[in-house]
Amino acid sequence: MKVWWSPLEIAQARLPDMPADKSAVNKHIRAKNWTRATNADGRPLAPRREGKGGGWEYHMALLPHRARDEIKTRAMRATLAAPVAARPVDEPSTHWAGFDAKPASVRAEAARRLRALEAAEETQTGMKTSVWAACHRVSREIGVSIGTIFGWKRLVAGADRADWLPLLAPKHKG
């Protein structure tokens, strides 16, 4: 998830409670005195940018609450929509036995579950929040219960990350 933003990026993102024009964003920044903001450790939340062009970049913590939520939601949706890595070629595992032969719908559901767990992890890390809060946010986004998300987490607990996809495949008994 993107944490540092330039005034142009803020304007182009069209975030809630923020102007959609670079000059208006700069005016907002000056009015709120963002260039002097620091975090609890005293580190600046608006350092000067290095390299060509210079300027300032601003930590997303300076943005209004609704704008930060929108950034986090967009990042989570991007993670949920991202493709899932294929079976590792050089690391054979018993978990992968038969996975490739499963119906496409089962493999797709496993991929959806994997993206949900990855989104929860990214949300937890990006927001610096609890596992519960991150899983709750993802569960609302994809329309399943938080218990379902935690059930998926139990399926992969202790397993290699490379084996998560086959472990998350639905085990239909019929």
Side-chain angles (χ1 to χ4, degrees):
M1 175 172 35
K2 184 169 178 57
V3 177
W4 296 98
W5 295 74
S6 72
L8 179 61
E9 291 169 332
I10 293 170
Q12 290 175 338
R14 299 196 180 283
L15 298 168
D17 300 334
M18 285 301 295
D21 175 68
K22 182 182 173 188
S23 62
V25 169
N26 280 321
K27 184 177 178 181
H28 177 87
I29 289 168
R30 283 190 301 276
K32 298 290 185 180
N33 205 14
W34 282 7
T35 55
R36 294 182 169 256
T38 60
N39 65 11
D41 299 335
R43 288 183 289 195
L45 291 174
R48 284 220 174 251
R49 291 174 61 166
E50 300 277 329
K52 185 178 178 185
W56 295 83
E57 57 185 2
Y58 303 95
H59 194 278
M60 69 181 275
L62 295 168
L63 294 167
H65 181 71
R66 287 185 349 130
R68 289 191 314 264
D69 275 352
E70 180 64 21
I71 291 169
K72 293 167 190 170
T73 299
R74 289 177 188 176
M76 181 177 44
R77 286 184 179 151
T79 301
L80 289 169
V84 173
R87 175 182 179 170
V89 177
D90 58 339
E91 296 181 28
S93 168
T94 57
H95 299 296
W96 286 90
F99 178 75
D100 296 329
K102 291 190 184 285
S105 60
V106 171
R107 292 192 315 268
E109 176 60 18
R112 182 180 82 95
R113 293 173 180 187
L114 178 60
R115 285 190 302 271
L117 292 183
E118 289 172 342
E121 279 188 351
E122 186 173 313
T123 300
Q124 180 185 358
T125 304
M127 293 175 61
K128 293 185 172 61
T129 187
S130 68
V131 174
W132 189 91
C135 289
H136 185 268
R137 185 179 259 270
V138 171
S139 72
R140 284 185 307 172
E141 185 67 31
I142 66 171
V144 299
S145 73
I146 190 168
T148 298
I149 301 285
F150 277 106
W152 296 340
K153 286 179 76 59
R154 281 191 298 277
L155 288 173
V156 299
D160 262 350
R161 185 70 171 239
D163 292 331
W164 282 19
L165 185 62
L167 289 171
L168 290 168
K171 315 280 190 289
H172 297 295
K173 307 227 169 89

